[in-house]
Amino acid sequence: NIVTVSGTWSFALLDGKGRLIGAMSFTHTPTKNQSMTEVYMLSDFAIRPTAYPRLSKLVVAASLSREVQELLKSRMVRRVDSITTTAFTGKAESMKYRGLYRKTGGGEDYVNYAAQAGRWTLEEALRWWTDQHDKSK
């Protein structure tokens, strides 16, 4: 029962050889509960099939990069301090966001998350993911 909408800004995540790893899409529709410097990540996904079982965690880590923050800032023409998102799941927590985004609430079939934008560079995100989650080594 997820309602789909088009994102305002969508980005592809490519590896060093130009191959698609995943994508993410953002929007900014301020509400009374949303800061003017906050963006909402509508979707994030990794390509499938892949030899990397936790590749989606890399896409989420990349969403917090300074490069993505700068791309969003240039399109919004304003500061971007935080990113929020929602995981639609019947579980208490989404492992994909755990350790990267903090849980801010939720309901029976969803969990809300938030994180500071610009946590690290894409290179640092890749290094973190490789150290923590790349089981292909």
Side-chain angles (χ1 to χ4, degrees):
N1 294 333
I2 300 172
V3 177
T4 59
V5 296
S6 296
T8 308
W9 308 286
S10 297
F11 306 110
L13 185 62
L14 307 174
D15 71 5
K17 297 179 181 177
R19 295 176 296 203
L20 181 66
I21 293 173
M24 56 195 92
S25 183
F26 300 87
T27 191
H28 181 344
T29 308
T31 65
K32 65 180 181 176
N33 298 324
Q34 186 179 34
S35 161
M36 290 300 290
T37 62
E38 180 180 301
V39 295
Y40 184 81
M41 186 164 58
L42 288 165
S43 65
D44 58 273
F45 60 89
I47 54 98
R48 295 281 184 244
T50 179
Y52 305 97
R54 294 198 176 131
L55 195 57
S56 61
K57 193 93 169 179
L58 176 58
V59 175
V60 172
S63 75
L64 299 176
S65 71
R66 288 194 280 279
E67 291 88 343
V68 169
Q69 180 186 33
E70 285 299 316
L71 286 168
L72 290 166
K73 181 175 131 182
S74 70
R75 281 150 180 84
M76 290 175 58
V77 192
R78 69 180 56 199
R79 216 172 68 228
V80 174
D81 293 330
S82 63
I83 299 171
T84 58
T85 194
T86 303
F88 293 94
T89 177
K91 298 178 182 177
E93 191 169 6
S94 171
M95 297 309 287
K96 180 164 81 167
Y97 299 103
R98 186 175 169 183
L100 295 169
Y101 281 68
R102 72 185 177 288
K103 186 176 171 182
T104 60
E108 187 176 322
D109 296 326
Y110 67 95
V111 182
N112 292 326
Y113 290 95
Q116 180 181 342
R119 174 178 178 170
W120 45 28
T121 65
L122 284 171
E123 183 179 323
E124 291 166 333
L126 177 60
R127 192 174 321 120
W128 171 84
W129 179 82
T130 301
D131 291 346
Q132 298 293 316
H133 299 286
D134 182 4
K135 305 302 180 200
S136 68
K137 306 184 266 182

